Amino acid sequence: MNKLLNAALVAGGVLLGSGVLHTAHAQDKVLNIYSARHYPGDTQLYEGFTKATGIQIKRVDADDAGILQRLKAEGTASPADVILLVDAARLWKAETEGLFAPVNSKVLNDAIPVHLRGKATPEGTPWFGFSTRARVVVYDKARVQRDNVDTYEKLADPKNKGLLCTRSGSHPYNLSLFGAVSEHLGAAAAETWLQGLVNNMARKPVGGDTDQIKAVASGECGVALSNSYYVARLMRSDKPEDKAVMDKVAVVFPNQSSWGTHMNIAGGAMAKHAKNPANAVLFLEYLASPQAQNYFANGNNEWPTAKGVKVDNAALDTMSGGSFKSETIPISVVGMNQVKVQQMLDRVGYK
C-alpha cells in the first residue's frame, strides 16, 4: 500500500515521507474537512485524494464566518481535521483566534512560495495558500479611459468622481486589498486614498462583485473593483445577457508599473484539535500536487500557487494577456493590517 500511495502521489507531483505514511495508517482512514469552497471542480479534487490514499472524506460546507463560529463552539470536541477558507483576511483571523495547528512539511514549504502562506514559527506554518485571485479594475469602455484607472491609487483621483462602485468596504475581499495598499503606501496615505474612494462613489456600496460588473455595463457606474474569477465566469458564460455585459466592459490589472496587482488567496490549514493529523497533512500536501492544483484553482477560474504549476484557462489568459505582474508582499501581513484598515473605513465613512 505504501508503494501504491507513493506512486500515485508522486505521479501527481507530491513526494511524502515514510513517517507521515506510517502515522496515517495508524489512524482511521477518514478525513473531516470544514470547507468554505463550493466549486464544481472540488468534487474531482476530493475523489482524487480518496483514490490515491483510500482515505474517505467527510465534508461540512459553510461560509467562512460560519466555519469559524462552529470551530469555536465545538472547541476540543471538534471533528474537523482540515479547514479550507477563501480569503487571506479570514485565514489570518482564524489563526489569531487559535483555530489552526502549525504544520511542518518539506513538501509544502518547497511547493508554496513564502509570501503565499502564513508566517512560520518554530512549530511550523499555520496555513498555506493553494490558489490566487487578482483584485482587478473593471471599467466602461465607452465612458472611461484606461489610463485613468490603471492603478489602485487613480481610483481616488477626482477625475473619477461619481464613477466608482464597490461592494462593502468591510467585506474581506476589500479588507485584503486595502490592507495591501496600506502596506505599500503607509497608513496615513492609505487613509487619504480611502477617503478619495468614498468621494468618488457613484452610489453607496451594495451587492457582490458580479453586481459591480453588471452596474458598470448598465451605465450606473463607470469603474468597479472585482475579483478576477467573477470576470472569468462571465467570460465563460453562454448566456446572452452575460456576453452583453462583457461586450461593454474592459479589465485592468492595476499597478503593472509599480508594485503589481493585488493577489488574494484561497487556502487551507490543519484544525487545532484535528483527530487525524497525519491524514490532514497528507491532504494539504496533496493540494500542492499539479493534478490537485488544477482542480483547486481551475475549478474557480484561479491561478495555482505551487511552483511550476500552470493552468490552461482561456478566460484567465484572455483577461490578463497571458501574464501580469503581481504583488509579492506577504499575504500574512495583509491579514494583520485588517484591524487598522477597518478603523480607517469607519473614520472616512466607507460602509
Side-chain angles (χ1 to χ4, degrees):
M1 174 62 183
N2 282 4
K3 292 181 179 179
L4 177 62
L5 177 58
N6 268 325
L9 291 178
V10 168
V14 176
L15 181 60
L16 301 173
S18 59
V20 172
L21 290 174
H22 177 78
T23 308
H25 282 299
Q27 297 175 0
D28 292 335
K29 302 291 284 184
V30 66
L31 182 73
N32 294 294
I33 297 176
Y34 285 9
S35 176
R37 294 176 54 85
H38 316 294
Y39 310 131
D42 287 0
T43 299
Q44 294 174 298
L45 180 79
Y46 300 130
E47 290 176 349
F49 177 73
T50 297
K51 183 177 181 179
T53 65
I55 297 171
Q56 298 299 314
I57 290 176
K58 297 181 180 179
R59 198 169 84 245
V60 172
D61 292 329
D63 61 18
D64 296 79
I67 287 173
L68 301 191
Q69 290 174 359
R70 179 166 181 159
L71 287 169
K72 286 185 282 188
E74 291 174 340
T76 59
S78 177
D81 298 310
V82 167
I83 311 301
L84 299 178
L85 301 176
V86 293
D87 180 80
R90 289 155 166 160
L91 285 159
W92 177 84
K93 181 176 176 61
E95 176 191 351
T96 59
E97 292 180 349
L99 300 177
F100 295 158
V103 171
N104 268 312
S105 165
K106 187 178 186 304
V107 170
L108 291 170
N109 290 341
D110 287 348
I112 308 300
V114 172
H115 71 284
L116 296 178
R117 58 189 196 233
K119 186 175 181 180
T121 68
E123 290 73 36
T125 301
W127 49 265
F128 298 85
F130 292 109
S131 66
T132 63
R133 63 282 296 271
R135 196 80 175 137
V136 299
V137 170
V138 179
Y139 67 96
D140 184 335
K141 292 188 291 188
R143 297 171 60 197
V144 176
Q145 294 182 19
R146 179 186 178 91
D147 289 349
N148 289 342
V149 294
D150 61 0
T151 72
Y152 297 115
E153 301 99 299
K154 288 182 182 179
L155 298 182
D157 192 293
K159 70 178 64 175
N160 289 314
K161 189 172 182 63
L163 294 177
L164 179 64
C165 286
T166 75
R167 70 194 306 160
S168 168
S170 297
H171 190 277
Y173 297 163
N174 279 337
L175 283 178
S176 293
L177 168 62
F178 301 160
V181 172
S182 179
E183 193 68 19
H184 291 300
L185 297 182
E191 185 163 342
T192 299
W193 174 72
L194 288 170
Q195 184 65 70
L197 297 187
V198 173
N199 295 343
N200 285 348
M201 291 289 181
R203 54 155 169 74
K204 293 181 179 179
V206 64
D209 283 4
T210 302
D211 297 311
Q212 315 311 315
I213 300 169
K214 291 181 177 180
V216 172
S218 72
E220 181 181 10
C221 316
V223 60
L225 288 164
S226 174
N227 277 358
S228 51
Y229 58 82
Y230 291 106
V231 180
R233 288 176 189 174
L234 291 171
M235 292 176 69
R236 297 180 74 173
S237 173
D238 293 327
K239 296 180 180 178
E241 59 268 30
D242 292 340
K243 292 181 179 295
V245 167
M246 294 311 301
D247 284 342
K248 294 180 179 179
V249 305
V251 179
V252 174
F253 282 68
N255 294 79
Q256 292 302 288
S257 297
S258 58
W259 62 68
T261 298
H262 170 63
M263 306 297 289
N264 205 336
I265 62 168
M270 182 163 67
K272 175 70 173 180
H273 304 292
K275 307 302 187 292
N276 302 288
N279 294 352
V281 173
L282 202 64
F283 181 76
L284 293 174
E285 291 178 338
Y286 164 76
L287 292 183
S289 70
Q291 179 188 41
Q293 282 278 281
N294 272 277
Y295 289 147
F296 198 94
N298 206 34
N300 191 40
N301 298 301
E302 297 178 90
W303 291 274
T305 61
K307 298 171 185 175
V309 178
K310 297 185 182 299
V311 166
D312 182 15
N313 184 307
L316 294 180
D317 287 343
T318 299
M319 189 193 318
S320 66
S323 64
F324 62 95
K325 181 180 180 180
S326 60
E327 68 180 3
T328 57
I329 60 173
I331 285 287
S332 58
V333 172
V334 171
M336 293 175 191
N337 285 344
Q338 68 172 310
V339 173
K340 68 178 182 182
V341 165
Q342 184 61 65
Q343 294 169 345
M344 294 179 195
L345 295 173
D346 293 340
R347 288 194 292 267
V348 303
Y350 197 143
K351 302 301 182 182

mmCIF file of all heavy atoms in Angstrom, residues 25 45 57 63 65 68 89 98 127-128 130 151 158-159 168 170 174 208-209 211 236 238 290 303 314 334-335 347 351:
data_model
loop_
_atom_site.group_PDB
_atom_site.id
_atom_site.type_symbol
_atom_site.label_atom_id
_atom_site.label_comp_id
_atom_site.label_asym_id
_atom_site.label_seq_id
_atom_site.Cartn_x
_atom_site.Cartn_y
_atom_site.Cartn_z
ATOM 1 N N HIS A 25 -1.435 5.497 8.487
ATOM 2 C CA HIS A 25 -2.002 4.153 8.546
ATOM 3 C C HIS A 25 -2.455 3.800 9.947
ATOM 4 O O HIS A 25 -3.350 2.990 10.136
ATOM 5 C CB HIS A 25 -0.976 3.129 8.044
ATOM 6 C CG HIS A 25 -0.860 3.099 6.555
ATOM 7 N ND1 HIS A 25 -1.904 2.783 5.726
ATOM 8 C CD2 HIS A 25 0.188 3.385 5.742
ATOM 9 C CE1 HIS A 25 -1.506 2.831 4.471
ATOM 10 N NE2 HIS A 25 -0.249 3.219 4.450
ATOM 11 N N LEU A 45 -11.401 16.937 -6.990
ATOM 12 C CA LEU A 45 -10.298 17.113 -6.043
ATOM 13 C C LEU A 45 -10.376 16.077 -4.925
ATOM 14 O O LEU A 45 -9.408 15.362 -4.638
ATOM 15 C CB LEU A 45 -10.356 18.526 -5.465
ATOM 16 C CG LEU A 45 -9.297 18.921 -4.447
ATOM 17 C CD1 LEU A 45 -8.001 19.254 -5.155
ATOM 18 C CD2 LEU A 45 -9.774 20.117 -3.626
ATOM 19 N N ILE A 57 -13.313 11.068 2.714
ATOM 20 C CA ILE A 57 -13.501 12.449 3.144
ATOM 21 C C ILE A 57 -14.938 12.679 3.579
ATOM 22 O O ILE A 57 -15.887 12.309 2.886
ATOM 23 C CB ILE A 57 -13.143 13.427 2.007
ATOM 24 C CG1 ILE A 57 -11.629 13.410 1.773
ATOM 25 C CG2 ILE A 57 -13.621 14.849 2.314
ATOM 26 C CD1 ILE A 57 -11.173 14.271 0.618
ATOM 27 N N ASP A 63 -20.117 28.981 4.965
ATOM 28 C CA ASP A 63 -19.285 30.123 4.621
ATOM 29 C C ASP A 63 -18.183 30.287 5.659
ATOM 30 O O ASP A 63 -18.178 29.604 6.696
ATOM 31 C CB ASP A 63 -20.111 31.402 4.477
ATOM 32 C CG ASP A 63 -20.828 31.802 5.768
ATOM 33 O OD1 ASP A 63 -20.449 31.328 6.852
ATOM 34 O OD2 ASP A 63 -21.777 32.606 5.676
ATOM 35 N N ALA A 65 -17.376 32.627 7.827
ATOM 36 C CA ALA A 65 -17.792 33.061 9.163
ATOM 37 C C ALA A 65 -18.467 31.919 9.918
ATOM 38 O O ALA A 65 -18.221 31.717 11.117
ATOM 39 C CB ALA A 65 -18.730 34.259 9.057
ATOM 40 N N LEU A 68 -15.830 29.388 11.206
ATOM 41 C CA LEU A 68 -15.090 29.867 12.376
ATOM 42 C C LEU A 68 -15.953 29.821 13.622
ATOM 43 O O LEU A 68 -15.481 29.437 14.701
ATOM 44 C CB LEU A 68 -14.570 31.287 12.127
ATOM 45 C CG LEU A 68 -13.637 31.465 10.920
ATOM 46 C CD1 LEU A 68 -12.987 32.845 10.957
ATOM 47 C CD2 LEU A 68 -12.574 30.389 10.871
ATOM 48 N N ALA A 89 -7.705 37.480 4.745
ATOM 49 C CA ALA A 89 -8.166 38.102 5.987
ATOM 50 C C ALA A 89 -8.836 37.078 6.897
ATOM 51 O O ALA A 89 -8.657 37.096 8.124
ATOM 52 C CB ALA A 89 -9.133 39.245 5.671
ATOM 53 N N GLY A 98 -6.626 31.145 17.273
ATOM 54 C CA GLY A 98 -6.116 29.868 17.750
ATOM 55 C C GLY A 98 -6.833 28.655 17.217
ATOM 56 O O GLY A 98 -6.898 27.620 17.896
ATOM 57 N N TRP A 127 -0.902 28.165 7.966
ATOM 58 C CA TRP A 127 -1.782 27.935 6.829
ATOM 59 C C TRP A 127 -1.023 28.157 5.524
ATOM 60 O O TRP A 127 0.035 28.785 5.510
ATOM 61 C CB TRP A 127 -3.030 28.825 6.880
ATOM 62 C CG TRP A 127 -2.770 30.283 7.139
ATOM 63 C CD1 TRP A 127 -2.803 30.918 8.355
ATOM 64 C CD2 TRP A 127 -2.428 31.304 6.184
ATOM 65 N NE1 TRP A 127 -2.507 32.249 8.207
ATOM 66 C CE2 TRP A 127 -2.277 32.522 6.887
ATOM 67 C CE3 TRP A 127 -2.241 31.306 4.799
ATOM 68 C CZ2 TRP A 127 -1.947 33.728 6.266
ATOM 69 C CZ3 TRP A 127 -1.912 32.505 4.163
ATOM 70 C CH2 TRP A 127 -1.777 33.692 4.907
ATOM 71 N N PHE A 128 -1.604 27.639 4.442
ATOM 72 C CA PHE A 128 -0.970 27.698 3.129
ATOM 73 C C PHE A 128 -1.993 28.142 2.082
ATOM 74 O O PHE A 128 -3.152 27.704 2.110
ATOM 75 C CB PHE A 128 -0.415 26.329 2.724
ATOM 76 C CG PHE A 128 0.654 25.813 3.636
ATOM 77 C CD1 PHE A 128 0.318 25.119 4.790
ATOM 78 C CD2 PHE A 128 1.991 26.022 3.357
ATOM 79 C CE1 PHE A 128 1.301 24.634 5.647
ATOM 80 C CE2 PHE A 128 2.985 25.549 4.203
ATOM 81 C CZ PHE A 128 2.637 24.860 5.354
ATOM 82 N N PHE A 130 -3.399 27.946 -1.660
ATOM 83 C CA PHE A 130 -3.359 26.952 -2.731
ATOM 84 C C PHE A 130 -3.876 27.473 -4.068
ATOM 85 O O PHE A 130 -3.755 26.795 -5.085
ATOM 86 C CB PHE A 130 -4.134 25.702 -2.318
ATOM 87 C CG PHE A 130 -3.481 24.946 -1.199
ATOM 88 C CD1 PHE A 130 -4.031 24.936 0.068
ATOM 89 C CD2 PHE A 130 -2.286 24.271 -1.407
ATOM 90 C CE1 PHE A 130 -3.417 24.250 1.116
ATOM 91 C CE2 PHE A 130 -1.658 23.588 -0.371
ATOM 92 C CZ PHE A 130 -2.225 23.572 0.891
ATOM 93 N N THR A 151 -4.215 52.153 -12.050
ATOM 94 C CA THR A 151 -3.626 51.887 -10.731
ATOM 95 C C THR A 151 -4.724 52.007 -9.685
ATOM 96 O O THR A 151 -5.741 52.673 -9.908
ATOM 97 C CB THR A 151 -2.490 52.873 -10.369
ATOM 98 O OG1 THR A 151 -3.058 54.160 -10.087
ATOM 99 C CG2 THR A 151 -1.464 52.976 -11.476
ATOM 100 N N PRO A 158 -9.845 62.761 -8.302
ATOM 101 C CA PRO A 158 -11.097 63.487 -8.558
ATOM 102 C C PRO A 158 -11.649 63.318 -9.973
ATOM 103 O O PRO A 158 -12.854 63.489 -10.189
ATOM 104 C CB PRO A 158 -10.713 64.948 -8.284
ATOM 105 C CG PRO A 158 -9.601 64.857 -7.287
ATOM 106 C CD PRO A 158 -8.823 63.633 -7.681
ATOM 107 N N LYS A 159 -10.804 62.980 -10.950
ATOM 108 C CA LYS A 159 -11.288 62.790 -12.315
ATOM 109 C C LYS A 159 -12.256 61.602 -12.413
ATOM 110 O O LYS A 159 -13.013 61.497 -13.392
ATOM 111 C CB LYS A 159 -10.125 62.604 -13.288
ATOM 112 C CG LYS A 159 -9.361 61.308 -13.155
ATOM 113 C CD LYS A 159 -8.248 61.179 -14.179
ATOM 114 C CE LYS A 159 -7.197 62.244 -13.987
ATOM 115 N NZ LYS A 159 -6.035 62.062 -14.911
ATOM 116 N N SER A 168 -19.227 46.283 -0.139
ATOM 117 C CA SER A 168 -18.913 46.871 1.161
ATOM 118 C C SER A 168 -17.407 46.964 1.391
ATOM 119 O O SER A 168 -16.661 46.027 1.084
ATOM 120 C CB SER A 168 -19.543 46.028 2.279
ATOM 121 O OG SER A 168 -19.050 46.398 3.543
ATOM 122 N N SER A 170 -16.015 46.774 4.135
ATOM 123 C CA SER A 170 -15.657 45.845 5.205
ATOM 124 C C SER A 170 -15.696 44.385 4.774
ATOM 125 O O SER A 170 -15.420 43.497 5.584
ATOM 126 C CB SER A 170 -16.600 46.041 6.406
ATOM 127 O OG SER A 170 -16.459 47.336 6.945
ATOM 128 N N ASN A 174 -12.287 43.291 0.070
ATOM 129 C CA ASN A 174 -11.792 44.667 0.088
ATOM 130 C C ASN A 174 -10.838 44.913 1.250
ATOM 131 O O ASN A 174 -9.851 45.645 1.104
ATOM 132 C CB ASN A 174 -12.963 45.649 0.133
ATOM 133 C CG ASN A 174 -13.576 45.890 -1.229
ATOM 134 O OD1 ASN A 174 -12.920 45.683 -2.252
ATOM 135 N ND2 ASN A 174 -14.821 46.311 -1.265
ATOM 136 N N GLY A 208 -22.527 42.155 -4.505
ATOM 137 C CA GLY A 208 -21.261 41.457 -4.631
ATOM 138 C C GLY A 208 -20.485 41.934 -5.843
ATOM 139 O O GLY A 208 -20.870 42.892 -6.514
ATOM 140 N N ASP A 209 -19.391 41.251 -6.146
ATOM 141 C CA ASP A 209 -18.534 41.689 -7.251
ATOM 142 C C ASP A 209 -19.233 41.590 -8.606
ATOM 143 O O ASP A 209 -19.067 42.460 -9.465
ATOM 144 C CB ASP A 209 -17.244 40.871 -7.270
ATOM 145 C CG ASP A 209 -16.252 41.309 -6.202
ATOM 146 O OD1 ASP A 209 -16.599 42.200 -5.403
ATOM 147 O OD2 ASP A 209 -15.135 40.756 -6.166
ATOM 148 N N ASP A 211 -22.322 42.007 -9.170
ATOM 149 C CA ASP A 211 -23.232 43.153 -9.242
ATOM 150 C C ASP A 211 -22.494 44.414 -9.680
ATOM 151 O O ASP A 211 -23.050 45.252 -10.411
ATOM 152 C CB ASP A 211 -23.889 43.389 -7.881
ATOM 153 C CG ASP A 211 -24.742 42.217 -7.441
ATOM 154 O OD1 ASP A 211 -25.570 41.754 -8.247
ATOM 155 O OD2 ASP A 211 -24.573 41.756 -6.300
ATOM 156 N N ARG A 236 -16.823 33.130 -19.548
ATOM 157 C CA ARG A 236 -17.023 31.737 -19.957
ATOM 158 C C ARG A 236 -18.496 31.364 -20.088
ATOM 159 O O ARG A 236 -18.830 30.256 -20.520
ATOM 160 C CB ARG A 236 -16.347 30.805 -18.947
ATOM 161 C CG ARG A 236 -14.842 30.992 -18.868
ATOM 162 C CD ARG A 236 -14.184 30.051 -17.867
ATOM 163 N NE ARG A 236 -14.118 28.691 -18.344
ATOM 164 C CZ ARG A 236 -13.476 27.712 -17.722
ATOM 165 N NH1 ARG A 236 -12.822 27.953 -16.590
ATOM 166 N NH2 ARG A 236 -13.452 26.497 -18.212
ATOM 167 N N ASP A 238 -22.334 31.095 -21.413
ATOM 168 C CA ASP A 238 -23.002 31.021 -22.707
ATOM 169 C C ASP A 238 -24.277 31.862 -22.748
ATOM 170 O O ASP A 238 -24.942 31.947 -23.789
ATOM 171 C CB ASP A 238 -23.373 29.561 -23.029
ATOM 172 C CG ASP A 238 -22.148 28.701 -23.254
ATOM 173 O OD1 ASP A 238 -21.146 29.230 -23.781
ATOM 174 O OD2 ASP A 238 -22.186 27.508 -22.903
ATOM 175 N N PRO A 290 0.428 18.901 -8.852
ATOM 176 C CA PRO A 290 -0.081 19.503 -10.097
ATOM 177 C C PRO A 290 -1.528 19.144 -10.403
ATOM 178 O O PRO A 290 -2.315 19.999 -10.799
ATOM 179 C CB PRO A 290 0.873 18.937 -11.160
ATOM 180 C CG PRO A 290 2.151 18.703 -10.425
ATOM 181 C CD PRO A 290 1.735 18.223 -9.059
ATOM 182 N N TRP A 303 -5.571 31.033 -10.280
ATOM 183 C CA TRP A 303 -4.217 30.601 -10.607
ATOM 184 C C TRP A 303 -3.667 29.730 -9.484
ATOM 185 O O TRP A 303 -3.902 29.999 -8.301
ATOM 186 C CB TRP A 303 -3.301 31.814 -10.798
ATOM 187 C CG TRP A 303 -3.605 32.603 -12.023
ATOM 188 C CD1 TRP A 303 -3.142 32.379 -13.290
ATOM 189 C CD2 TRP A 303 -4.448 33.760 -12.112
ATOM 190 N NE1 TRP A 303 -3.637 33.322 -14.151
ATOM 191 C CE2 TRP A 303 -4.439 34.184 -13.461
ATOM 192 C CE3 TRP A 303 -5.200 34.491 -11.169
ATOM 193 C CZ2 TRP A 303 -5.166 35.291 -13.894
ATOM 194 C CZ3 TRP A 303 -5.925 35.589 -11.607
ATOM 195 C CH2 TRP A 303 -5.896 35.982 -12.949
ATOM 196 N N ALA A 314 -8.574 29.600 -20.754
ATOM 197 C CA ALA A 314 -8.605 30.614 -21.816
ATOM 198 C C ALA A 314 -9.113 31.956 -21.299
ATOM 199 O O ALA A 314 -8.626 33.014 -21.730
ATOM 200 C CB ALA A 314 -9.487 30.130 -22.966
ATOM 201 N N VAL A 334 -0.873 41.261 5.021
ATOM 202 C CA VAL A 334 -2.143 41.832 4.573
ATOM 203 C C VAL A 334 -3.234 41.539 5.601
ATOM 204 O O VAL A 334 -4.038 42.418 5.945
ATOM 205 C CB VAL A 334 -2.522 41.262 3.195
ATOM 206 C CG1 VAL A 334 -3.932 41.680 2.809
ATOM 207 C CG2 VAL A 334 -1.529 41.724 2.135
ATOM 208 N N GLY A 335 -3.269 40.313 6.088
ATOM 209 C CA GLY A 335 -4.259 39.959 7.107
ATOM 210 C C GLY A 335 -4.068 40.744 8.388
ATOM 211 O O GLY A 335 -5.036 41.208 9.003
ATOM 212 N N ARG A 347 -13.595 55.799 9.960
ATOM 213 C CA ARG A 347 -13.331 57.245 10.029
ATOM 214 C C ARG A 347 -13.711 57.967 8.747
ATOM 215 O O ARG A 347 -14.176 59.109 8.786
ATOM 216 C CB ARG A 347 -11.838 57.487 10.352
ATOM 217 C CG ARG A 347 -11.459 57.157 11.784
ATOM 218 C CD ARG A 347 -10.089 57.726 12.142
ATOM 219 N NE ARG A 347 -8.998 57.075 11.427
ATOM 220 C CZ ARG A 347 -8.313 56.043 11.904
ATOM 221 N NH1 ARG A 347 -8.631 55.500 13.087
ATOM 222 N NH2 ARG A 347 -7.315 55.512 11.207
ATOM 223 N N LYS A 351 -18.799 52.501 4.009
ATOM 224 C CA LYS A 351 -19.702 51.498 4.567
ATOM 225 C C LYS A 351 -19.451 50.113 3.982
ATOM 226 O O LYS A 351 -18.986 49.990 2.861
ATOM 227 C CB LYS A 351 -21.156 51.906 4.322
ATOM 228 C CG LYS A 351 -21.505 53.263 4.928
ATOM 229 C CD LYS A 351 -21.271 53.284 6.426
ATOM 230 C CE LYS A 351 -21.686 54.646 7.027
ATOM 231 N NZ LYS A 351 -21.433 54.716 8.478
#
